[in-house]
Amino acid sequence: MQNLVVVESPTKARTLQRFLGSEFQIEASMGHVRDLPKSEFGVDVEHDFKPEYVIPKDKRKNVNILKKLASSAKTLYLATDPDREGEAIAWHISELLRNSEKPSSKLQVPNEIHRVVFHEITEGAIKEAFKHPHEIDLKLVDAQQARRILDRLVGYKLSPLLWQKVKKGLSAGRVQSVTLRLIVEREREIGKFKPVEYWIIEAELSKHLRGETKDAFIATLIEKDGKKVEIKNKQEADGHVKNLEKARYFVSKITQKELRRYPYPPFITSTLQQVASNRLGYSAKKTMMLAQALYEQGFISYMRTDSVNLSPSAIASARSYIEQYIGKAYLPKVARVYKSRSKNAQEAHEAIRPTDVEVKGEGLRGKGLNRDHQRLYDLIWKRFVACQMSEALLDQTTVDVTAAAYLLRATGSVIRFEGWLKLYGKEADENSSREAGEDDKKQALPDLSENDPLNLLQLIPNQHFTEPPPRYNEASLIKKLEELGIGRPSTYAPIISTILDRFYVERQERKFIPTSLGFAVTDFLIEFFPNIVDYSFTAKMEDDLDEIARGEIKWQPIIRQFYSPFAERVEKAAIHAEKIKMEVELAGKKCPECGNELVIRIGKFGKFLACSTFPKCRHTEAIEEKIDAKCPLDGGQIVVRHTRRGKTFYGCKNWPVCKFASWTKPKSEKMAVDKD
């Protein structure tokens, strides 16, 4: 009799098989084997919110296979992922095998059912995990069940109300609605923002050496008569320039200090998503898909984590690599140990890191992984090794320049020792400067001494206007959610995907812009369900779920406390809320059938044009989204199209005369020229 091991995916199963040998048969559950029903409420509110789980139709065949294999297995090992979701999948499998749906079933369940947990798929980690199996952690299962039930209560009760009061086909979610509110409020901040004019005056100066200008540098005006200079318009700027043109310049003070820039901690889920977005342009969804494949093939540790902790062996491997391949000067005397700022971080977990520091990105070739996998792996590898390297040393010099009643200041810095920046990149140094709020122009200052006279080469007055807060992109949105304590690492990618799929927001130049639908849904929820979209309330609910996971509280009282007032609000809103009138966006075109205005509407598959007199006139037409590429068949414009199920593809504008279509985005003309 073989031992049966159940994991989630076939890829993970194949990787484990390499380490466990013929004594073990490894099967994939293909994710969850039970869930709440799609077409029914599935929560018994009258009996302490008991969930009513069913086996989805597409999982029944796989479940029957698992049951059959388990009936003849010597021992069953549940090796699902090391988080709440994985624990819940393991519990559901165990429950299905122990409690057959058919009372007459003669299913034989293995006497021993074990839970094994590992955070990396390497031979050592796998064998160690199988030496120390344990029971399913029901506290983690309870936390996952509580989240699932909460989301079902909110979604099942609120979504029909949105259909009735806003528009059919909408959905609401406990975390997605708060995320949408962030984007909507930021857009309204931008809309209300009024720019304020201000001026900055810079002086290009040089050492007083017979008019030579090779040692030129820039100093910025900051004070007059000991008070900060604030220049509001051109007239004021011209007055200062006139005075400065007559002044004599000399160095009044030089300040030098050493700056130490320390490496960032290793990646957790949220920081990986943020940096992959900023550096590689990957969406959170894409980043997690790539990371999942890297984990399942054994190249990185588990990618859903909020802990920056590293195992002693991992730290030792990084330090050994640094000493051998980068240089002893880049190795600090003492290993760096990082602590998570989040009170809910699970320190037993590790940060995201390579499982073998000797394997670089090029080592992934021929493993069924593409260039995107390689680029993400390189990012993880560099962050991991860099986190154990010496700090960078910079010499910063600040030069105060006096000109009559004015004080100007120039700041420059040079890297004396690269440290971790040698591996991780100079852009990391620039990012840390901005985060620290330093006004460092990175200019190289000449060798100066106090009281040195200076030449004025030119004065440069520049007009500026204050700018509104920037729209959120994926990185900044995830960072904000993390700061507020909303959602958890595994939820960010699906949250963003949901609000995009529902057309609550659009993405333009990688920034999120709410649609009229997003504004309407947010306003409705704020008015009638203020706690659902309240940042503090949502964060408190996440804390409650964490307490459930730690076994500090039971999940039923938390759900009960939430549900009673929530259900009352739903009833009141159903009676008192009026139907929301959506703002109509004019398309700037006339209807070809009746001559009235065409308007932009949002349907199941996104935006389309419709006659403003609908349903009197039923004319509709697609909105063509063009991309910078030409059809390879007839040279026509390539446009974005959608299948009946909403899947995106790319086709020639001259369809149906030209039949060109592609699932992948054609390369732009510029890219093609560059490549040639």
Side-chain angles (χ1 to χ4, degrees), residues 201-221:
I201 298 176
E202 294 178 326
E204 185 179 9
L205 305 167
S206 71
K207 293 180 68 172
H208 189 70
L209 295 171
R210 298 177 184 176
E212 293 182 12
T213 60
K214 64 178 182 179
D215 290 330
F217 64 98
I218 299 293
T220 303
L221 174 63

Side-chain angles (χ1 to χ4, degrees), residues 625-662:
E625 180 185 344
K626 299 177 182 179
I627 65 170
D628 183 22
K630 298 295 183 182
C631 175
L633 299 183
D634 69 353
Q637 178 69 52
I638 295 294
V639 296
V640 180
R641 299 191 186 278
H642 304 280
T643 67
R644 289 183 179 180
R645 294 190 175 183
K647 188 174 181 181
T648 298
F649 70 98
Y650 303 89
C652 181
K653 184 178 180 180
N654 298 327
W655 185 90
V657 176
C658 177
K659 303 291 186 182
F660 174 78
S662 172

